[in-house]
Amino acid sequence: MEDVLTVRQLRAWQAANSGPKIVSWADGTDEQIAAMVAAADAGQIDLTDYWHEGDTRTVHLSAMPATGVGESHAAQSVQFVLSDPGHYTLANGKKCTFVVLQKDCLKEYGVMNQRNTNSGGWNSCPRRTWCNSVYRNAIPSTLRGIFKQFTTYAAIGTGSSSVSSRDYFALFSEKEVFGSTTYANSSAERNNSQLTWFKTPSNRIKRVNGSARNWWERSPNSLNSSRFCCVTGGGNVDLGSAYSRNGLAPFGCI
């Protein structure tokens, strides 16, 4: 009886013979990673045949100036982890292939706003501008283009009204981390859902220079005009004044 190729085997054969070189998320060069994403965008390959949730890649970020938020960041390496295929809707209406998150925080702490206010919520927050400009530009230019704009939702300050934003990089919301709301407005977070990644409690713990620390979420506190939600060093729900300094762990989508 003749052997019959599975769909996965056929795709692998086609990619090896006519498409980009197939490499792992961890070990491929930036150029090879970009080529695989481009091939996937063109419908030539399916990245989920080769890359999987939990795959980790070391990415070297360039130094980030103190633009808009008051703190600068040294050049450093971070671990980019693949998670939750299809969780976010891209600007083109399609679902993302993977969420790409920082395993831990940057080495330096940061504020959400240099003024102690959450007015305007994430949509008007200086940290959002920083994520989509300063942080994005710190990613190596060859890799930068693999990240797509996607849609996020958060409250407008302390109110229950939700506003959508289009981001290349963002911070997670309270509901995306915990699956429910404690300090964020539940109505404003109705379009958000918990990532599978964060259903494992240990994945909610992020480190700054090796020590577990508080890290920021994009959700404003629903009852206080000066606070945003955050995650404690132990992986629990918490709040922080907008101008207090916590860990930073932006995420993007491919």
Side-chain angles (χ1 to χ4, degrees), residues 43-61:
Q44 298 172 359
I45 63 171
D46 184 342
L47 290 178
T48 61
D49 287 341
Y50 312 104
W51 302 345
H52 308 93
E53 290 186 83
D55 288 355
T56 302
R57 177 180 183 80
T58 300
V59 174
H60 304 285
L61 304 179

Side-chain angles (χ1 to χ4, degrees), residues 185-202:
N185 187 283
S186 59
S187 177
E189 297 249 351
R190 64 188 179 277
N191 291 314
N192 296 332
S193 60
Q194 187 180 30
L195 276 76
T196 302
W197 176 260
F198 290 123
K199 290 181 180 180
T200 300
S202 60

